[in-house]
Amino acid sequence: MNGFNAFMERYFMPVAGKLAEQRHLKAVRDGIVAAMPLLIIGSIFLIISSPPIESWETFMEPYAPTLNIPVDATFGMLGLVAVFAISYSLANSYKMDGLSAGVLALAAFMVATPLTEEGDIPLNLMGAEGLFIAIVLAIFTVEVYRFFENRNIVIRMPEGVPPSVWRAFSALIPGAVIIFIVWGVDLLLTSSFDLSLHGIVSAVLRQPLEAMGGSFWGAMIAIILVHLLWSFGIHGISIVASVMAPIWYSLTDQNVAAQQAGEALPHVIGQPFMAIWWAVGGSGMALALTILFVWRARSKHLKGLGRGSIWASFFNISEPVIFGAPIVMNPLLFVPFILAPLAVGIITYFSMSLGIVGKPYVIVPWTTPPPFSGILTTGDWRGGVLMMVNLVVAMFIYYPFFRLYDKKLMEEEETNEQAAASKDV
C-alpha cells in the first residue's frame, strides 16, 4: 500500500492537480453548471408530463404537448447558455471583459449554425446537440480576443467614456476577426464537403466521445478515477466532470427526446446515472458507511462522526465523512471507498440495461435524498427499491473494513484514556 501511495503521489497526483486548476476545463465545468437550474426546472415539467404512474400518465396525455414547451425551452437552450457562460468564465479567469467575450462567442455560435430550408434556426442545434461546438467556439473566441488584447490591437477610448461604450469599441476588432474566421471556415466546409461546422464537430468530437463516455467501461473508469482522486483529498467528481459532463448531458438530452416521443430510452449512462446512482450519500456511497458508524461503531470517534454527519450524508454531502473519518489517505477505508460505488454502478447498469428498472432521464438536484432520487430520475418506483438494495450492498462491502478500522480506533482511544488516567494519578 505504501508503494502504491508513493506511485500515486509521484505520478498521478501532479497530473490530477494540474487538471483541477486548468482554466479551460474549469471554464467548461462552470459554464455547464450555469445551465443546471434550467435543466432541473425542465425536469420538473418532464415529470409532470411523463409521470411514473400509468393512470396519471393517461390523464396527462392531452396536456403533454403544452407541458413539453418549457421542457424544450430549457433542455433546448443548453448549447446556447453554455457558449456564453463558458466564454464568460474563461475570459474572467484571464481578467478580461467576460460580457464582451460571451456576446462574441454567442455570435460566433450563431454564425456557425446552419439554418433550415425554411430559413429558421434549428432548435435541436441550440441544445445538447450543439454543446460540443459551443465549447470549441467559446474557447476559440476568448483565445483570439486575448491575442488581440495582449498585443493592444483594439480600439482604445479616452478616459471618461462610460465602461459600456469602452467595452463595445474594445471588442470591435477582435469580434470582427472572430466572426470572419468562423464564417469563412463554415463557408469553406459547406462548399467543399457539404458539411457545416456543427457537422464536422459532431463527426470528429461528439459522436466518438459519446460512444466512449456512454459505454459501460467508460462509466466504470470514470467512477474509479473519481474515487482515486477523492482518496488523495482532491474533489474527484469536479475534475472528471470537467471533461465528461458535456458527454453525459448530451446523452441525457437524447433520453429526454425519446421520452417525449414515447420511444424506448437509448442510454443508461448520462447525467442522472453519473450524479446520483453510485453516489448515495455522496461519493463512495458514503451514506452506507455513515449508517455503519451510527449503528455498529464502538469507537467514540466514529460513533460521534456518524451521528454528526448522518443528516448531511442523507442529502448526499460526503465531505464530513471523507475528511472526518478520514477516508483520505486511509488504507483501511481506501479499498471499499472505491469498491462500493463500483459494485453499485455495475448492479445499476445491468439492472437498467436488462429492463428490470427504468433508465434515467430526469435531472434532479444532487442533494435529493434516496430513495426519492432513484424514483424521480427513472420515473419508476423500482428505481427507489434498487437504490435501497444498492445501499445494503455497499454496507456489506464496507463492513469488514469498517470493523478493522473501528477496532483500531477503539484500541487507540483506550490507550489514550489509560495514559491520561496514569498522569492524573
Side-chain angles (χ1 to χ4, degrees):
M1 186 59 75
N2 289 336
F4 178 73
N5 285 344
F7 173 83
M8 293 293 288
E9 286 180 9
R10 184 170 182 182
Y11 296 105
F12 187 69
M13 298 309 293
V15 176
K18 286 181 181 175
L19 276 176
E21 295 304 318
Q22 213 287 326
R23 69 174 74 237
H24 297 89
L25 291 178
K26 283 176 73 175
V28 171
R29 181 191 63 208
D30 294 344
I32 292 176
V33 167
M36 181 68 80
L38 286 177
L39 302 181
I40 293 174
I41 292 168
S43 293
I44 294 171
F45 283 93
L46 190 60
I47 293 171
I48 297 172
S49 66
S50 305
I53 303 168
E54 193 173 342
S55 57
W56 185 10
E57 188 175 8
T58 306
F59 173 75
M60 295 301 297
E61 199 170 338
Y63 310 104
T66 305
L67 287 167
N68 281 337
I69 293 173
V71 178
D72 294 335
T74 49
F75 278 87
M77 288 179 62
L78 181 58
L80 210 56
V81 172
V83 71
F84 182 88
I86 293 169
S87 51
Y88 181 89
S89 176
L90 182 58
N92 282 341
S93 76
Y94 283 126
K95 302 192 184 308
M96 296 165 56
D97 179 24
L99 187 61
S100 296
V103 170
L104 290 177
L106 193 60
F109 181 73
M110 296 307 295
V111 166
T113 302
L115 302 178
T116 64
E117 290 182 0
E118 292 77 22
D120 300 324
I121 296 171
L123 291 179
N124 61 312
L125 296 183
M126 300 293 104
E129 200 172 325
L131 184 57
F132 288 90
I133 193 169
I135 294 169
V136 171
L137 288 177
I139 294 172
F140 170 77
T141 298
V142 174
E143 292 300 337
V144 172
Y145 192 179
R146 179 167 165 258
F147 174 87
F148 278 82
E149 200 168 80
N150 285 349
R151 285 156 183 79
N152 204 25
I153 312 174
V154 293
I155 297 174
R156 299 290 183 194
M157 301 299 290
E159 288 190 14
V161 173
S164 57
V165 178
W166 178 85
R167 280 198 300 265
F169 277 90
S170 177
L172 206 56
I173 295 175
V177 173
I178 290 164
I179 299 296
F180 181 79
I181 292 174
V182 173
W183 175 66
V185 171
D186 190 58
L187 277 181
L188 184 65
L189 289 172
T190 305
S191 59
S192 303
F193 306 104
D194 197 23
L195 274 174
S196 66
L197 268 172
H198 275 266
I200 289 288
V201 171
S202 175
V204 174
L205 203 59
R206 185 169 72 86
Q207 292 173 8
L209 285 175
E210 281 185 0
M212 181 187 70
S215 69
F216 169 77
W217 290 112
M220 294 305 114
I221 290 171
I223 291 172
I224 292 172
L225 278 177
V226 166
H227 293 87
L228 271 177
L229 291 166
W230 262 125
S231 299
F232 287 85
I234 294 178
H235 200 296
I237 189 62
S238 293
I239 295 174
V240 174
S242 298
V243 179
M244 300 300 292
I247 302 169
W248 296 334
Y249 277 103
S250 181
L251 296 170
T252 304
D253 189 56
Q254 292 171 34
N255 274 8
V256 170
Q259 178 68 21
Q260 287 178 297
E263 300 170 353
L265 305 190
H267 304 293
V268 171
I269 308 300
Q271 197 276 343
F273 183 93
M274 299 306 296
I276 298 291
W277 276 90
W278 49 263
V280 176
S283 293
M285 295 293 292
L287 183 58
L289 186 59
T290 312
I291 292 172
L292 288 175
F293 287 171
V294 175
W295 181 29
R296 304 292 293 178
R298 296 171 65 191
S299 67
K300 294 176 183 175
H301 175 74
L302 293 186
K303 180 71 85 176
L305 177 65
R307 288 173 175 168
S309 59
I310 186 73
W311 287 110
S313 192
F314 189 61
F315 290 97
N316 301 324
I317 299 168
S318 58
E319 279 84 349
V321 174
I322 290 175
F323 294 103
I327 292 173
V328 174
M329 304 296 285
N330 185 343
L332 280 175
L333 295 179
F334 177 91
V335 174
F337 184 70
I338 296 175
L339 283 183
L342 198 58
V344 165
I346 293 170
I347 293 170
T348 305
Y349 181 88
F350 285 105
S351 297
M352 292 175 175
S353 296
L354 296 172
I356 300 170
V357 173
K359 295 175 182 175
Y361 63 94
V362 172
I363 294 175
V364 297
W366 61 271
T367 49
T368 306
F372 306 110
S373 54
I375 298 170
L376 291 173
T377 53
T378 58
D380 185 352
W381 62 269
R382 292 169 297 185
V385 176
L386 176 60
M387 196 163 266
M388 292 297 98
V389 170
N390 285 343
L391 193 59
V392 174
V393 169
M395 288 172 69
F396 272 106
I397 292 172
Y398 268 116
Y399 189 72
F401 299 92
F402 151 76
R403 283 295 304 272
L404 285 173
Y405 187 50
D406 186 46
K407 183 181 177 184
K408 176 174 175 290
L409 288 181
M410 196 171 61
E411 290 172 354
E412 289 176 1
E413 288 172 358
E414 288 175 354
T415 303
N416 291 337
E417 286 173 3
Q418 289 170 2
S422 63
K423 282 183 181 177
D424 291 339
V425 173

